[in-house]
Amino acid sequence: MPKFFLSDCSFEVSDTVSITGDDAHHISKTLRMKVGDRLVVTGSNSVDYDCVIESFTEDGVELKVEDIRQSTVEDAHRITLFQALVKGDKMDTVVQKSVELGVYDIYPVAAERSVVKLDAKGAEKKVERWNKIALEASKQCGRGIIPKVHDVITFKECAEKMAELDIGFFCYELSDGKTVKDVIRDKDFTTLGFYIGPEGGVSPSEADYAKSFGIEDITLGKLILRTETAGPAVMAMLLYEIRL
């Protein structure tokens, strides 16, 4: 069933739910749903509300809650992607695919070798766009939450944040051979974060700084992946190791 998110919603069976704005337009005009059709509304607490459309109004769509259930999509492991700023619309792809693969948080990182340099106003607009992409990806794949794209941080802040998590690693072409499975198998953890560098890769000074916090470097194999491929690739590996 189609899924829509409402912030901080809490309903009981038989309650009326109102959807307005772009979502209401999407329901009526794009999906061409009718009275009696069913959809799912989800709040920020991973609770799914199965609803039936009761009416269409000038302001939006009126629904009735038929059933309430805890979302079973989300996993207990919270994965954070730290992605270096990259050129063009590559970050759009990274956000979309990582959300589809189960990421919990995304931090854009202004890395030493990032070609893209954003001022405060430009960063704010980009983050707003990336959060909209995360929302649409969450709807499409049926997530129980909307992963958050945070404000842009420096690499030093990235390393410090990763050090606070149960497991942290970064992908490095000069790695000594450890892989994703080497880092996480047989480990008891809840939070995990990993860093993907920009087009020019992770600089030696960044690698040394990360290692000073106990953050391990790993390899993704003999193939050199594009930066927009690497993040979703790691997410797929983690999905397999943790959930499948």
Side-chain angles (χ1 to χ4, degrees):
M1 284 189 290
K3 173 171 278 194
F4 296 87
F5 286 88
L6 293 178
S7 59
D8 300 321
C9 64
S10 179
F11 304 110
E12 302 293 337
V13 172
S14 296
D15 280 356
T16 297
V17 180
S18 298
I19 295 182
T20 59
D22 291 341
D23 283 344
H25 183 272
H26 186 68
I27 291 169
S28 61
K29 303 300 183 183
T30 305
L31 297 178
R32 297 184 181 278
M33 299 185 78
K34 297 178 174 58
V35 172
D37 287 346
R38 286 170 169 77
L39 53 80
V40 178
V41 171
T42 300
S44 58
N45 53 357
S46 292
V47 174
D48 287 339
Y49 299 90
D50 294 331
C51 300
V52 60
I53 297 176
E54 288 201 313
S55 65
F56 292 89
T57 68
E58 290 185 2
D59 297 326
V61 184
E62 298 293 309
L63 316 172
K64 181 180 179 180
V65 178
E66 291 191 321
D67 192 23
I68 303 171
R69 53 194 167 81
Q70 188 69 36
S71 173
T72 58
V73 173
E74 299 304 320
D75 189 82
H77 300 89
R78 296 187 173 188
I79 300 172
T80 300
L81 165 61
F82 297 87
Q83 170 67 55
L85 293 174
V86 289
K87 295 186 294 184
D89 60 359
K90 294 176 183 178
M91 192 69 170
D92 295 1
T93 301
V94 172
V95 171
Q96 182 187 65
K97 301 310 176 188
S98 297
V99 169
E100 290 177 14
L101 290 164
V103 79
Y104 191 85
D105 282 296
I106 299 175
Y107 283 89
V109 181
E112 184 178 325
R113 292 178 174 174
S114 289
V115 176
V116 176
K117 306 297 180 184
L118 297 175
D119 58 20
K121 186 175 181 180
E124 183 179 354
K125 288 183 177 179
K126 287 286 189 181
V127 170
E128 183 180 353
R129 171 179 171 77
W130 294 330
N131 274 299
K132 287 181 180 178
I133 292 171
L135 170 60
E136 293 305 317
S138 297
K139 291 179 185 177
Q140 186 276 324
C141 66
R143 292 292 299 267
I145 62 164
I146 307 169
K148 181 176 176 60
V149 182
H150 296 264
D151 292 337
V152 179
I153 60 174
T154 65
F155 182 80
K156 287 187 176 181
E157 290 171 323
C158 163
E160 291 163 5
K161 287 182 180 296
M162 271 202 290
E164 296 173 355
L165 305 177
D166 296 332
I167 294 177
F169 61 85
F170 64 100
C171 300
Y172 193 36
E173 62 270 24
L174 300 180
S175 173
D176 62 4
K178 276 192 175 182
T179 65
V180 169
K181 64 182 178 182
D182 294 329
V183 173
I184 70 169
R185 277 191 179 174
D186 301 321
K187 301 283 181 63
D188 183 18
F189 68 95
T190 300
T191 58
L192 178 150
F194 67 96
Y195 172 70
I196 301 294
E199 291 89 348
V202 179
S203 72
S205 61
E206 288 174 334
D208 290 342
Y209 190 78
K211 289 177 183 178
S212 72
F213 282 87
I215 300 165
E216 298 186 87
D217 59 279
I218 69 158
T219 179
L220 295 180
K222 296 180 179 180
L223 299 176
I224 304 298
L225 303 183
R226 292 179 181 272
T227 182
E228 68 269 28
T229 305
V234 173
M235 284 302 307
M237 296 173 195
L238 292 169
L239 176 68
Y240 176 79
E241 291 291 337
I242 295 171
R243 298 192 183 187
L244 300 180

